[in-house]
Amino acid sequence: MRERHILGVSGGRDSAALAVHMRQTRPDLRLEYFFTDTGKELPEVYSFLDRLEGFLGQPIARLNPDRDFDFWMAEYGNFLPSPRTRWCTRQLKLRPLEHWLRADLEAGVTVHSYVAIRADEPSREGYTSTQSNMLVHLPLRDAGIDRKGVIDILRNADVGEPEYYDWRSRSGCTFCFFQQKIEWVRLAERHPDRFDEAVAYEKTAIDGGSPFTWSQGESLIALTKPDRVAQIKADYEKRLDRLRKRRPANPLSGRSPETIDDVYGIEEASAGCVICHK
Ligand code: SF4
C-alpha cells in the first residue's frame, strides 16, 4: 500500500525548522512540503518560503483555496472571523488540505503528517485527523528541540528567520485577529496598503451589522489615531522594560529573545494555532 509523508509549512519559524530538521535527519523520506495560501499573506512570508525551498532543494506545494476570503466572508454574513468563529482557518487552510489528500485517504493510503510541536510546548495537541489512516508525528518534540533549538536550526542552515519577526510575533494572515494592538500599529506602519485592506473589511462587517472588530473593543481606525498609537507604544515599552528587569539578559543562558507574547504574558499555545502559526 502506498504511503505519503507530508509536512505543512506555515511561513513561521517552527514548521520551517521542522522541514530543515527532517531534510537533515531523514533524507530517505520522500517528503511533500505544502503551504496553504489564504491569499492574505505578508510579502515576507513568500520571500521566506523561497529561501526555505532553496535549502530543501525542492518546491513547497502551494495549496490555494477554491473560494477566496471575500467569498467566505459574504457566506458568513459579512462577519469577520474571530477566535470563536474561525471560519478562515476552516475554509482557507483546512479545506484545501482536505481536498489535496481526500482521494488518497479514501483509497486507504497511509498519510504521515509531520507537525511542528516543540519540546517546550507540552500543551499543544497537533493536528488530529478523523481519518484512521492519517498518522501525526511530532519530530521536534521527540528530539527535545525547543524554541532556542528551532532558531539555531534555521541559523545553522542559513535559512534564517522570516523578517516579520522584527515587528510581529507569528505567521498568518496580514489581518489575523490573534494580533496584539502593537502589531496592528506596526502593520499600519510597515504595510499601510494591507492595513487599509483590513480597515475596509472591518467597515464592511460593521456596516453589515457585525458587532465584532478585528481587535477587541475598538476599530482599527480608532486604534491608529495618533494619541492611541502613542499610548499603545508606551504601554508596550513599559511592559518590555518590566519583563527585561525580571529576566535580565544573560548571553550564556542560551535563552531566545523576548517575543511579543512574552511581553504581554500570553501563553503561546493559547494565542495561536498549529495550522496557521507554527
Ligand atoms: S492566520 Fe489568523 S486570520 Fe488567517 S486563517 Fe489563521 S486564524 Fe484565520
Side-chain angles (χ1 to χ4, degrees):
M1 182 59 75
R2 199 161 71 85
E3 294 197 335
R4 285 177 72 175
H5 297 267
I6 64 165
L7 193 161
V9 293
S10 67
R13 58 161 83 90
D14 290 352
S15 57
L18 176 61
V20 171
H21 174 75
M22 293 301 289
R23 184 85 188 80
Q24 291 172 329
T25 57
R26 295 297 310 272
D28 54 305
L29 283 185
R30 260 193 75 212
L31 262 165
E32 299 172 71
Y33 304 98
F34 69 92
F35 169 68
T36 43
D37 190 339
T38 62
K40 302 295 177 188
E41 312 288 339
L42 289 165
E44 292 98 317
V45 168
Y46 297 112
S47 50
F48 182 61
L49 292 180
D50 290 346
R51 283 211 306 278
L52 186 57
E53 278 178 333
F55 173 85
L56 297 173
Q58 73 179 78
I60 296 166
R62 314 292 163 110
L63 309 186
N64 297 306
D66 52 349
R67 313 275 200 178
D68 64 9
F69 184 89
D70 293 31
F71 171 87
W72 289 113
M73 185 156 158
E75 238 358 60
Y76 284 86
N78 280 330
F79 273 39
L80 298 174
S82 66
R84 287 175 62 189
T85 316
R86 279 179 59 185
W87 57 257
C88 47
T89 311
R90 165 98 282 281
Q91 304 299 355
L92 300 170
K93 292 270 176 189
L94 289 174
R95 200 175 131 98
L97 176 60
E98 282 160 9
H99 282 181
W100 191 51
L101 298 174
R102 180 174 299 151
D104 278 343
L105 285 173
E106 285 175 2
V109 173
T110 301
V111 177
H112 297 270
S113 174
Y114 298 85
V115 178
I117 307 292
R118 300 186 317 253
D120 56 336
E121 43 179 357
S123 58
R124 281 206 187 257
E125 292 297 320
Y127 174 69
T128 47
S129 170
T130 47
Q131 304 271 355
S132 59
N133 49 334
M134 179 140 165
L135 307 176
V136 173
H137 305 275
L138 310 176
L140 294 180
R141 179 183 287 181
D142 295 345
I145 296 169
D146 59 8
R147 188 163 86 191
K148 160 116 185 7
V150 156
I151 294 170
D152 288 346
I153 287 174
L154 293 175
R155 195 172 293 153
N156 294 338
D158 264 347
V159 172
E161 296 193 64
E163 284 84 9
Y164 59 74
Y165 281 129
D166 290 348
W167 58 276
R168 103 185 217 168
S169 56
R170 59 178 69 83
S171 59
C173 300
T174 55
F175 43 56
C176 184
F177 43 81
F178 282 113
Q179 285 176 93
Q180 297 298 317
K181 292 183 191 292
I182 186 74
E183 295 174 297
W184 284 110
V185 166
R186 291 171 173 178
L187 177 68
E189 290 170 351
R190 303 264 178 156
H191 295 289
D193 53 331
R194 308 301 174 98
F195 183 82
D196 289 348
E197 189 185 22
V199 169
Y201 282 124
E202 189 173 77
K203 183 170 182 322
T204 304
I206 292 168
D207 290 351
S210 164
F212 304 118
T213 45
W214 285 119
S215 181
Q216 214 187 349
E218 64 188 328
S219 71
L220 293 184
I221 294 288
L223 189 148
T224 43
K225 292 220 157 80
D227 286 0
R228 183 69 180 121
V229 167
Q231 197 181 36
I232 291 169
K233 286 184 173 178
D235 175 66
Y236 176 77
E237 289 304 326
K238 210 158 68 192
R239 286 168 183 266
L240 181 61
D241 194 46
R242 270 208 305 263
L243 178 69
R244 286 184 173 158
K245 283 192 176 121
R246 263 201 328 270
R247 289 179 19 175
N250 174 0
L252 301 178
S253 75
R255 195 169 52 213
S256 49
E258 308 91 357
T259 65
I260 291 172
D261 286 344
D262 294 336
V263 172
Y264 286 93
I266 294 167
E267 278 286 317
E268 191 182 353
S270 64
C273 84
V274 167
I275 296 149
C276 303
H277 302 129
K278 291 301 292 168

